[in-house]
Amino acid sequence: MIKFENVSKSYSKGSPAVKDVSFEIDRGEFVFLIGASGSGKTTLIRLMVREEKPDEGTIWVAGKNLVTMPSWKVPHFRRNVGVIFQDFRLLPNKTVAQNVAFALQVIGKPNRFIATQVPQILRLVGLEDKMDRFPHQLSGGEQQRVAIARAFVNRPLILLADEPTGNLDPETSWGVMNLLERINRTGTAVVMATHDVGIVDSMRRRVIEIDDGRLSRDQVRGVYGLGV
Amino acid sequence: MSLAAIFTVAISLSLVGSALLIKQGVSTATAEWKGNVQLLVFLQPKISPTEFTAVKDQLRQLPAVKSFSYVPRAQAYADFRRLLANQPDLVNAVPESAVPTFLRVSLVNPAETRAVAAIFQGQPGVDTVNDNFSAINTITTVSNVAQTVILAIAVILLVSAAVLILNVIRVAIFSRRREVAVMRLVGATNSFIQIPFMLEGLVQGLIGALVATGVVILVKSFIGYAISHFKMHLLQGFVLTSHNLIDTIAVIVVAGVVVGTLGSTIAVRRFLSA
Ligand SMILES: Nc1ncnc2c1ncn2[C@@H]1O[C@H](COP(=O)(O)OP(=O)(O)OP(=O)(O)O)[C@@H](O)[C@H]1O
Ligand SMILES: [Mg+2]
């Protein structure tokens, strides 16, 4: 589903952010991406959606070679990959339902399809009674659920999450984690960059650790710290 | 939408349109005038019959002369009164006997006016030789300079209009940056994201062009009114057909669309590139 082969990437200024990284993630896996601040987690996620191109190596996502993909094909490729962020990135002047519907409208889905999909996905994330609220009328956890609904409404094969619980308190974080786990159980691969020790340790999923741009650990059923 | 951008497009295209109208009018008029270049050979009041016959014989023999006719005193006086009808004081001060008789000479080629005039200047019995060629030349030169200046100003204004539209679109892109980021994230195509901004620029160029079209129609009817009302003799040939007007409007509309699209395309390229 996702395959990195000897991938290196450096931004125009500064030392390389990702150095010679190789790994493979299968269909339906749940993977934590951990590492110190600035180690390159966000860069890896940006590489997975072709927001950046690697300097070296090959990247395969959803059966597509992202290195050779012409830029006009990128939009259609992105419809297979949902992404959520620490800061939610909702549109403040649209309601919950409109935020989710917007994601379908701009890829040309018919209105009738949108009208059935939006309430269904909002029920899945538990926000069916808050469809007409604006983002500022929601808690952080609820806003992240809207973002997840928007990322998942197109039923992508892959969901990428960059510190999705970074702005949330532990209890709310668990609500979001349960939701991500349910999404994973539908067969969608979930890749989540995080600093949250508690979540990584108790979920016991695959852990890929990055240390200063290099892959330093790839462990099935891992924990956050070494030697536990 | 920005009034400043629309206004600048409208002003610059009005100038372009007016310059084009003047250019078309002048070229019809000069074509007419050039066929009408005439030499007026004024005769001395005391010209002898031999001298008069000698001048006419010479005119007959010159290949450069197409035709000529003698204007007797009574007709010369009538022409004089008609041409200066709006200055009755002057007309009344000049008695018929003071008006010179002359020969009206048409030439094969207007470019030979000077040479032919030189032959008769100073001939016995000839007073002076006048031609209206230099006046036509002056008008043509003045209108050429005026067209160049107007077009230069118009081009500068058109460029600033494109820059204004570029800025308007940049602001529009900036104010919708969150939407644009989400669209990219969920896989909206580039054309889906860019076309609304391009259309916004195009529409502003088009509105400016429509305003300019109105201005140009007014300018055309004003020119027609001025020429007929003030009976400007030499400008009689300055005719603007509706064909001229349609051509001018077509140029204006195309230029407006090009300026609007150009400004927004540059903005989209620079501020919306993936
Ligand atoms: N757009 C950019 N331009 C230049 N350098 C960048 C850019 N983005 C990231 N970097 C650098 O690349 C390195 C990796 O950054 P990255 O954001 O991938 O780290 P991270 O693991 O996501 O960190 P955090 O846990 O703080 O989010 C850092 O040294 C960072 O300064
Ligand atoms: Mg990061």
Side-chain angles (χ1 to χ4, degrees), chain B residues 86-130:
Chain B
N86 51 357
Q87 285 164 274
D89 291 347
L90 182 62
V91 169
N92 293 335
V94 178
E96 179 168 352
S97 60
V99 175
T101 60
F102 58 91
L103 289 157
R104 199 193 294 274
V105 183
S106 295
L107 297 177
V108 178
N109 178 1
E112 291 172 308
T113 314
R114 288 271 150 71
V116 176
I119 294 172
F120 290 96
Q121 195 76 58
Q123 282 259 115
V126 171
D127 189 7
T128 54
V129 181
N130 270 349

Side-chain angles (χ1 to χ4, degrees), chain A residues 12 30 38 44 48 61 69 86 130 137 147 180 209-210 220:
Chain A
S12 47
F30 196 117
L44 284 178
M48 289 175 200
V61 176
M69 176 181 285
Q86 182 172 357
K130 292 178 178 162
Q137 297 168 321
L180 290 180
E209 186 174 350
I210 310 292
V220 194

Side-chain angles (χ1 to χ4, degrees), chain B residues 32-53:
Chain B
E32 176 116 326
W33 297 333
K34 290 225 168 103
N36 265 336
V37 172
Q38 284 180 338
L39 260 157
L40 302 183
V41 179
F42 289 94
L43 304 173
Q44 281 170 356
K46 280 176 254 137
I47 186 170
S48 72
T50 352
E51 286 166 346
F52 185 48
T53 319

Side-chain angles (χ1 to χ4, degrees), chain A residues 75 78-79 91 102 106-107 150, chain B residues 178 182 184 186-188 192:
Chain A
R78 287 205 184 136
R79 296 176 191 185
L91 300 176
F102 184 73
V106 300
I107 59 171
R150 182 178 67 188
Chain B
R178 288 176 213 259
V182 171
R184 286 206 190 298
V186 301
F192 185 94

